[in-house]
DNA sequence: TTTATATACGATTAAATTTGTCGTATATAA
DNA sequence: TTATATACGACAAATTTAATCGTATATAAA
C-alpha cells in the first residue's frame, strides 16, 4: 500500500551518488558493488533516466554515468513517472471508464486524493528532498 | 507503485454508501451485491472499521452496519492506517535500522517524502474528499 | 426453544505484481 | 583486436495482494 518500488529506491541511491560526485564518471558495476544493488536492474533503471536526460551516459570502457544539470530541478512527479509511468493511486484515474461501471460512488474521493498527491509531487524537486 | 489496495477501495465504497444512508442499517450482503465486492473481504474490512469506531456494527438478523458520527472527522491517514498499518513509502521509515546498513545515502530524501505524504493525509478528512 | 441470518475471526489458496536473472547486441577506449 | 561499458528484450523467482473456505457467536423472528 502506497509503497515505492525498488527501481525507484535504486534510482534515488544512484542519483544521490552522482550528485555528490558531480564530475566523476561512475559505472553501473561501481554503483552496484558499492550499494549492493543487482547490476542488471540498476542498469535498466539508469537507462531510463538517461533517455529522460536526468543523467548522461557514456559508452565503452571508462564509460559510465554522470549527473546532468537538469537533475536538481526535476520534480518528484517527473522522476517517478519516468520510472513507473503515471502517478495514480488507482488505475482508473487515467482511464476513461472506471472499474465499477454502473455503481461507482468513489470517483470524487479518488480524484481528490490523487490530485493532492500529484500536486505534492509536482511541487517537490529532487533538490528539495536532498537537504 | 503508490497504489491503494482493494481493501481500502472497498472500505471507501462502503463508507460513502453508509454516509449517504445515514440512518439505514446496511448488511455486508447488500453492499456486496450492490457494488460487486467479494463478501468475505468486505466483511473483514468493515470489522476493522467497526473496531476503530468508524462504523457501528449490529449482530443478528436485521443486523448490519451504520455510519458513526466519528466518520467525517477521520483523517485519511487514520483511515489508511486502520486498514493497512503505518503509512510509509518504505518499511525502513518505521524501523530502527535501515535496509542498506553501511552505505545508505537516501535516509534524508525518504524521510522528507514520507513526512510530506503523512502531513498531507493528516490534514485531509474523509469529509474533505467527499465534496 | 428452534431456526435463520447477521457479524467475527483465522487459515488457506489463487492471482497479480514486483524483483531479479539471463542472453545478446552495440559502442568505444586501449 | 580485445576488453569493458551501455542498451534492450525475454524469462523465472519471489513477494505481496486478493479471494476463498471453514467455524464460532450473537440475536431477531417463527
Ligand atoms: S472506480 Fe475509479 S472512478 Fe469509479
Ligand atoms: S534504507 Fe531507508 S533509511 Fe536507509
Amino acid at each position: 500500500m502506497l509503497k515505492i518500488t525498488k527501481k525507484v529506491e535504486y534510482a534515488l541511491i544512484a542519483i544521490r551518488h552522482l550528485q555528490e560526485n558531480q564530475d566523476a564518471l561512475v559505472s553501473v558495476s561501481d554503483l552496484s558493488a558499492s550499494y549492493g544493488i543487482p547490476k542488471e536492474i540498476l542498469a535498466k533503471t539508469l537507462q531510463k533516466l538517461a533517455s529522460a536526460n536526468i543523467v548522461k551516459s557514456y559508452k565503452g570502457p571508462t564509460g559510465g554515468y554522470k549527473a546532468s544539470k537538469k537533475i536538481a530541478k526535476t520534480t518528484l512527479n517527473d522522476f517517478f513517472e519516468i520510472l513507473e509511468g503515471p502517478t495514480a493511486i488507482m488505475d482508473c484515474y487515467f482511464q476513461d471508464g472506471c472499474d465499477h461501471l454502473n455503481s461507482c460512488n468513489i470517483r470524487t474521493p479518488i480524484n481528490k486524493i490523487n490530485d493532492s498527491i500529484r500536486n505534492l509531487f509536482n511541487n517537490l524537486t529532487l533538490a528539495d528532498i536532498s537537504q
Side-chain angles (χ1 to χ4, degrees), chain A:
Chain A
M1 165 92 178
L2 296 174
K3 292 274 186 289
I4 61 167
T5 61
K6 294 281 179 190
K7 260 195 275 182
V8 168
E9 180 186 339
Y10 297 156
L12 251 186
I13 293 174
I15 277 181
R16 295 264 295 172
H17 183 98
L18 294 179
Q19 280 186 306
E20 284 165 4
N21 301 272
Q22 284 287 349
D23 300 321
L25 203 50
V26 187
S27 73
V28 171
S29 298
D30 287 349
L31 286 169
S32 163
S34 299
Y35 297 98
I37 300 173
K39 206 170 159 179
E40 292 80 4
I41 292 188
L42 184 57
K44 269 185 283 193
T45 299
L46 282 168
Q47 279 154 32
K48 280 190 184 175
L49 296 179
S51 61
N53 300 312
I54 300 279
V55 297
K56 266 191 97 174
S57 75
Y58 299 85
K59 281 192 169 183
T62 76
Y65 291 93
K66 266 189 194 179
S68 85
K69 285 171 187 170
K70 202 177 168 184
I71 207 167
K73 290 181 196 165
T74 302
T75 68
L76 230 43
N77 201 54
D78 287 341
F79 175 60
F80 289 155
E81 296 203 336
I82 287 164
L83 296 169
E84 299 287 346
T87 303
I89 60 167
M90 276 183 69
D91 288 335
C92 61
Y93 184 85
F94 277 107
Q95 289 169 352
D96 284 353
C98 89
D99 302 351
H100 303 298
L101 298 161
N102 299 328
S103 53
C104 174
N105 66 345
I106 56 168
R107 175 140 249 165
T108 301
I110 291 295
N111 284 348
K112 290 247 172 155
I113 298 171
N114 225 30
D115 289 345
S116 301
I117 291 177
R118 292 177 65 84
N119 181 60
L120 172 65
F121 290 162
N122 275 321
N123 287 288
L124 267 183
T125 65
L126 288 175
D128 292 332
I129 60 168
S130 288
Q131 48 206 342

